[in-house]
């Protein structure tokens, strides 16, 4: 019985190590489609980077079925699995990222490297068919309103996603009364696992959030209407990822055969 218990403990320890923060298989694995549950599709995407990154995550986010374009009401589990972002299989020390079983769509890519604390992304935050608000003086006050609505609040407990006590908005794309937001969140305060034990690392989240304009006590505010979490993990770093937008990772069209993009530079 003692030998059996020791073996069980060893297996649990191994699983804990494999799923520790910053691993290639993060705690937030449920965020991505399960490759074994996906139907066979002829589309594939292969990306090659100029630098290695054995611990990087490469995620493809299709546009057709995003939450700002297709609701989840009335869908079944199999359908929702198809709508999830896809996680690439890496090879060549992280220089090659491959996605298989992709349905025809336009895909935006995000690369998260917890070893070097870098995010490179080409996420289109809003339907490109929407007429965008002009940049400059007209959009600046709207972006400030959105930052206040999604950030930490002094007038209420927690605010949106109050679990996270540090937030950083990287980009905002505004349309008529609506907007898409790319942001990071961290919890630096005490966080507990399901077992009740204190987590040693810092929980990070990378999100696309969709908001629409509303009136809150007579003041302009923005209400969250949808959210897609693209990354969640417990890692040692207690600072935000350095963020870079890479247009080469935006709107990659995949059809019914393999698509390749080579020599992608991640600064």
């Amino acid at each position: 019985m003692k030998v059996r218990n020791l073996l069980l403990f060893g297996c649990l320890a191994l699983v804990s190590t494999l799923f520790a923060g910053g691993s290639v298989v993060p705690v937030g694995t449920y965020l991505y489609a399960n490759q074994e549950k996906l139907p066979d599709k002829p589309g594939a995407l292969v990306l090659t980077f100029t630098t290695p990154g054995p611990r990087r995550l490469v995620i493809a986010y299709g546009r057709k079925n995003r939450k700002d374009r297709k609701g989840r009401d009335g869908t079944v589990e199999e359908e929702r699995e198809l709508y999830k972002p896809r996680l690439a299989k890496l090879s060549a020390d992280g220089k090659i990222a491959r996605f298989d079983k992709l349905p025809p769509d336009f895909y935006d890519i995000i690369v998260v490297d917890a070893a070097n604390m870098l995010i490179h992304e080409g996420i289109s935050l809003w339907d490109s068919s929407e007429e965008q608000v002009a940049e400059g003086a007209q959009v600046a006050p709207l972006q400030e309103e959105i930052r206040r609505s999604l950030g930490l609040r002094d007038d209420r407990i927690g605010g949106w996603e109050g679990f996270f006590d540090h937030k950083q908005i990287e980009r905002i794309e505004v349309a008529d009364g609506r907007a898409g937001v790319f942001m990071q969140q961290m919890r630096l305060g005490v966080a507990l696992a399901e077992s009740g034990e204190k987590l040693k690392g810092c929980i990070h989240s990378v999100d696309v959030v969709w908001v629409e304009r509303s009136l809150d006590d007579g003041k302009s505010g923005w209400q969250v209407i949808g959210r897609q979490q693209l990354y969640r993990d417990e890692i040692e770093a207690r600072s935000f990822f350095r963020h870079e937008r890479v247009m080469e990772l935006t709107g990659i069209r995949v059809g019914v055969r393999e698509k390749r993009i080579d020599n992608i530079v991640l600064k």
Side-chain angles (χ1 to χ4, degrees):
M1 181 62 70
K2 290 184 178 180
V3 173
R4 181 181 177 183
N5 289 339
L6 287 173
L7 288 174
L8 177 60
F9 178 81
C11 290
L12 291 174
L14 177 60
V15 170
S16 176
T17 300
L18 289 173
F19 284 85
S23 62
V24 177
V25 182
V27 173
T29 302
Y30 62 90
L31 300 175
Y32 314 115
N34 186 332
Q35 193 73 5
E36 295 180 358
K37 295 182 179 180
L38 297 176
D40 287 329
K41 297 288 183 180
L45 175 61
V46 179
L47 307 173
T48 62
F49 304 100
T50 57
T51 54
R55 292 180 60 190
R56 64 171 51 125
L57 298 177
V58 185
I59 302 148
Y61 188 26
R63 295 184 179 181
K64 185 184 299 181
N65 295 310
R66 291 186 188 176
K67 294 175 182 177
D68 64 319
R69 308 175 195 191
K70 187 178 182 65
R72 301 303 190 254
D73 292 342
T75 59
V76 297
E77 183 178 352
E78 290 79 7
E79 290 176 293
R80 293 191 293 274
E81 193 71 31
L82 296 175
Y83 302 159
K84 290 182 178 181
R86 308 295 181 93
L87 191 63
K89 182 177 181 180
L90 300 184
S91 61
D93 202 26
K95 284 188 175 182
I96 300 176
R98 182 181 181 91
F99 301 91
D100 289 302
K101 297 184 178 182
L102 293 180
D105 200 352
F106 288 90
Y107 292 88
D108 298 330
I109 306 299
I110 175 172
V111 182
V112 181
D113 189 337
N116 298 306
M117 290 303 292
L118 296 172
I119 289 178
H120 296 84
E121 55 90 10
I123 304 295
S124 175
L125 299 176
W126 201 258
D127 189 338
S128 59
S129 65
E130 295 282 351
E131 182 178 354
Q132 298 294 309
V133 172
E135 296 183 358
Q138 185 178 8
V139 73
L142 300 181
Q143 291 181 332
E144 183 57 33
E145 290 177 5
I146 293 169
R147 291 178 188 276
R148 287 199 303 268
S149 296
L150 293 179
L152 300 174
R153 302 289 295 268
D154 295 328
D155 57 344
R156 69 178 72 164
I157 297 175
W160 179 77
E161 276 292 340
F163 172 80
F164 295 101
D165 50 25
H166 287 70
K167 301 167 185 278
Q168 180 166 293
I169 292 177
E170 304 293 354
R171 291 196 294 116
I172 301 175
E173 293 179 7
V174 181
D176 185 17
R178 294 175 292 173
V181 182
F182 185 88
M183 66 185 297
Q184 300 186 58
Q185 302 187 89
M186 286 191 302
R187 181 172 178 88
L188 295 182
V190 175
L192 302 178
E194 291 184 5
S195 63
E197 294 185 3
K198 180 181 176 181
L199 296 177
K200 296 180 180 179
C202 174
I203 300 176
H204 286 249
S205 179
V206 178
D207 304 87
V208 173
V209 182
W210 296 280
V211 296
E212 66 180 4
R213 197 123 186 225
S214 62
L215 288 178
D216 184 7
D217 297 330
K219 300 179 181 179
S220 296
W222 293 75
Q223 178 181 351
V224 174
I225 58 175
R227 174 205 189 184
Q228 178 65 61
Q229 199 172 33
L230 293 172
Y231 173 86
R232 182 187 179 100
D233 203 359
E234 178 199 348
I235 59 179
E236 292 182 2
R238 299 177 65 82
S239 61
F240 288 112
F241 290 90
R242 182 166 66 84
H243 167 265
E244 293 285 345
R245 188 179 185 187
V246 182
M247 296 308 298
E248 193 175 2
L249 301 178
T250 298
I252 301 173
R253 185 180 183 275
V254 176
V256 295
R257 57 179 60 89
E258 182 180 297
K259 176 73 171 283
R260 294 187 62 92
I261 298 182
D262 297 321
N263 300 318
I264 299 173
V265 178
L266 301 180
K267 298 179 181 180

